[in-house]
Amino acid sequence: MSTPVIELSGVAKRFGGVVAVRHVDLALFPGEVHALLGENGAGKSTLVNMLAGIHRPDAGAIIVDGAEVTIPNPRTSRALGISVVHQHPVTFPDLTVTENIMLAGPAPRRRTRLLDWGTARRHAREALARLDVHLDISAEVKHLSAADQQLLEIAKALDTGTRLLVLDEPTAALSTREVDRLMEIIARLKADGVSILFVGHRLNEVFALADRVSVSRDGATVVTGPAHEFTPESAVGHMVGRSVETAFPKAEVELGPARLEVRGLSRRGAYTDVSFTVRRGEILGLAGLVGAGRTEIARGLFGLEPADSGEIVLDGAAVSIGSPQQAMRHGVAYVPEDRHSEGVVLEHSIGFNLPLALLERRPRLGLLSPQADRALAGDYIDRLRIRTSGPDQLLGALSGGNQQKVVIAKWLATDPSVLILDDPTKGIDVGAKAEVHQLISGMAERGLTIILISNELEELLAVSDRVITFYRGAQGPEFDRRPFDAEQVLAAMTGQVSDVHV
Amino acid sequence: MSTSDTRTAPAPALPESRRRIHREAGLGVVLVVLVALFATLTPRFATGDTFAQIGTDLSIVLIVAVGQALVLFTRNIDVSVGSTVGLTAYLAASLTAAVPGLPLVLTVLVACLLGAALGAVNGALVATLKVPSIMVTLGTLYIFRGINSALAGSSQITAQNLPDSYSAIATGTVLGIPLMFLYALAVAGLAHLVIRHTFTGRAMLAVGSDPASAERTGIASKRLVFGAYTVTGLLCGLAGVLWGARYGTVDSSVATGFELVVLAAVVVGGVRITGGVGTVGGVVLGAAILSVISTGLALADVSPFWLQAIQGLVIILAITFDLVLRRRLESRGVST
C-alpha cells in the first residue's frame, strides 16, 4: 500500500480528569474507506475533533504526508485537505445556504476585499450540484429540514481540495434515498483517491462501504483490519467487549381487544385518509421515509397538530383530541423524535424531568413535593435500569441511551394505555438499543398499545407485530406476518409498489 | 429497488422560485404610515423644518445604534453606551475649552479614540472573562458614569466656554440637509458595507446565530466580539462630540438613560436581541420611526405628561404591525 494521507500515532486527549482518548493509532490511505466503530463514549467524536482542529492532542502525533503537523484551528484543518462532517450540523440557522457554504471555506473576495457574491453563489450551486441535491441557496438554513441541513453539511465538506473526508455518523438524519446518494458519492471520491473516514454505528452501511474497519473502545483502538474479516456480530463484540444481541428478540404477546382505532384521518399537506386499528399489547410499526407523514400522524394523535378530518376511537368510543392535555387525559402519550428540544430538560436532574408530564394531575394543595419526585425517579431508575448515580444527577450527564430511557420513563409515569414512540433509539449505542427494544417489548407484554416509528427499518421489523407503510402522506401496504420481508417493506415505503399481496 | 425511479422522483420542496421581499419592507410601510398619520393630524408636521429636525434628532441615536447593532449581532449587548457617550462628551468639551486653538479634527479624533478605548475595555472583558455581557456592561455603565461625575463634579461646560466652530459641526447644513444627518448616514452606509459585503460582517452574524458552530468553523469569535465593542465605543465617542456641539451644555449627566433609547431603535429596527439577525437598513428605519413618533406627538399637542406613555404605545403598535405583516407574507411563501 502507498503512504497514508494522514496517520495518527499514539494520540491521547483528556478533559480535566476524564480521559476521552487513551491511545489511538490510525493510518488512513488514499482511496480507502475506513470505518471507525465504537459505542458512544468510545472517543470517536474527540478523535474527529482533533482532526478538525477543535481539540489538540495531549500526546502522540498527527502526521500528514510523512511530516508531523499541529492543527490549531478548523481553518488549518481545511487547509491541510481535511474536511469534517460533524454528527450535529455545524450551521448558522439565520444565514442563507450560500452564506453557510461561504463561511466554511476561504470566501471569494474582490480586489477591494469586499465579498464577491456572484462567485459565492456559484460556489454554493456547484457544491450542491456535486452532491446532486436541490436546495434554495438563498433560503435561511433554519427553514431547511433536518435531512437537508445534513446534506448541506456534506456539501460544505466536499470541495476540490479534500484529501481526507471525515464523516461522523452522517446518515442519522437521512432517508434511504439520500443515504444511497451519499454512498454513490463516497464511491466516486474513493475512485478519485480521497481517503474517507466513516465514523458510525449503523453496521449495515459500514459493511457495505468500508475497505478497512477499526474499532475503538474506552478511548483506544482495539482492532484494525480488512472489512471482510469482520461480521456485524464480531464488530459489536469488539465495541462492547463482549458479545451481545444487536436486537432483542421480540416476546410473543397475547393480543387483547382493539384499543385505538383511526378512521380516515387527514391533515392537509401532511397525510390523507389514514385508517388502522391497534390492539392492547400490540406493537404497530409505521414505516416510511423521512417526510412520509409518520411523525405528523403521531403528532396528530397526540393533539400537537390535530388532524383536519377523520375519527379517533379509543376503546370503541370516538374522542376528540385537540391538544396534548386532552390526549394525555385519554391515556395517549408521545415520546418525540427530538428528545433534546421536545422531550426533556438537560440542565435539570432526573428527579426534575420525570414528573414533568404529570404536572397537570398531581399537585396536592398546588404544591410540588421534591421527595415524591425523587421517589418516582428512583422507582423508574430501577425498573428501566437507567445507569445513573441517582435521581439528582443532571440529565445532560447521562449517555444518549439513558437519556432516552428517562424520556420514556417520563411518559410511562403518566400511566398511558397508548404509547407512541418516534425514533426511540436515534443516536444511541448498540448495547443501549437492545435494552430499549427489550423495554418496548416488556411494555407491550403488560398490555400497553404501542405505535413505533423508526428510521431504522431493521429495528422496526425486529420489534413490531405489524407494519403499515406510508409514502408521501398516503397509507400504503400493510404487513402483518412476522418475519417481515425487508425488501417488500422497503419497496412499499419508497412508493415502488402500490399494492403488495401478503 | 431500481435507482432510476428514486432519481426521477421530484425532490420535495424546491422553493428556488420563492418570492422575496426585503426584511425592511414592513418597517418602511410603518414609517410611511406614521408620517402620513402625523401629516393629517397637524399641518406643522409635513414641513422642511420638521423633517430637518427629525433628521438631526435621529442622528446621534443612529450613530450609537449602529454600534449597538454590531454588538447584538454577536449575541452580546452593550448597556454602557449612555455612559460612554457622556464621558466622551465631557472629555471632548473640556479639551476644547482648555485648548481653544485645537483643530476640531483633532478633538473629534481624540473623542473617538477615547470612546474606542472604553469600548475595548468592555470588549476585552466580555471576550476573555466569559461573563455575560449584560453584567459586564452594567458594571462599566456605573464605572464610566462614576468617572464622569468625579471629573466633572457639579461643573458645567456651556456654549460660552466653547468656540463657535464647535457647535457648527452640529448645526450646519448642506443643501438644506443637516450635517448631523449626513454623518449618521455615512456611518450607517459604512456599517452596511461591512455587514453585508465583507467576510467579517457575515462572520459577526454567524457568531450570534450559533456560537458553537462558529467555533467549529474556525471563526475568530473573540476577535469579532472585541471588535464590535471597540467600534461601538468609537461611535459613542463621535456621538459624544456631536452631543456637546448640538446641545452646547455638557455636565456629568449627559446621555443618562440613553442606552434605552438606542436599544429601542435597534430592536424596532428588527435586530434580534439574541443575535444573528438584523440589518443596518433596519436600524436606520428603527431610529427614524422613533424620531418621527416623538416629534410627531410633540407637534400634535399631546400633553407632555402623557407623551412618554403614548410614545411607548405607538412603538408597540409599530413593532406588532411589522411582525404581523412579515408573518403573513411568510405564511404565503414569501421569504423575508
Side-chain angles (χ1 to χ4, degrees), chain B residues 284-306:
Chain B
V284 173
L285 287 169
I289 287 170
L290 287 188
S291 193
V292 164
I293 291 174
S294 58
T295 309
L297 288 177
L299 289 178
D301 291 328
V302 170
S303 144
F305 300 110
W306 281 102

Side-chain angles (χ1 to χ4, degrees), chain A residues 49 54 74-75 86 88-95 99 102-105 107 109 113-115 117 132 134-140 142 176-177 180-181 184 472 490 494 496, chain B residues 1-3 5-7 9-16 18 20 23 193 196-199 202-203 205-207 209-210 213-219 272 275-277 330 336:
Chain A
N49 284 339
I54 294 165
R75 300 212 163 249
H86 290 280
H88 301 292
V90 177
T91 49
F92 303 108
D94 304 302
L95 302 185
E99 290 171 330
M102 180 185 81
L103 285 163
R109 287 195 175 101
R113 291 191 50 86
L114 295 185
L115 290 172
W117 282 108
D132 194 21
H134 304 278
L135 298 177
D136 178 0
I137 57 164
S138 44
E140 284 168 13
K142 64 183 165 208
T176 321
R177 184 168 60 104
D180 285 348
R181 207 150 57 187
E184 279 169 31
R472 292 196 182 158
L490 193 65
T494 48
Q496 290 172 31
Chain B
M1 180 167 93
S2 73
T3 42
D5 279 9
T6 46
R7 284 220 162 276
L14 225 179
E16 186 93 45
R18 246 179 150 195
R20 280 168 199 292
R23 194 176 272 279
L193 202 67
R196 186 77 201 119
H197 293 286
T198 70
F199 186 83
R202 295 283 95 186
L205 284 161
V207 169
S209 185
D210 191 332
S213 286
E215 195 199 331
R216 295 191 152 201
T217 313
I219 290 172
R272 193 166 67 188
V277 175
E330 263 174 23
T336 54

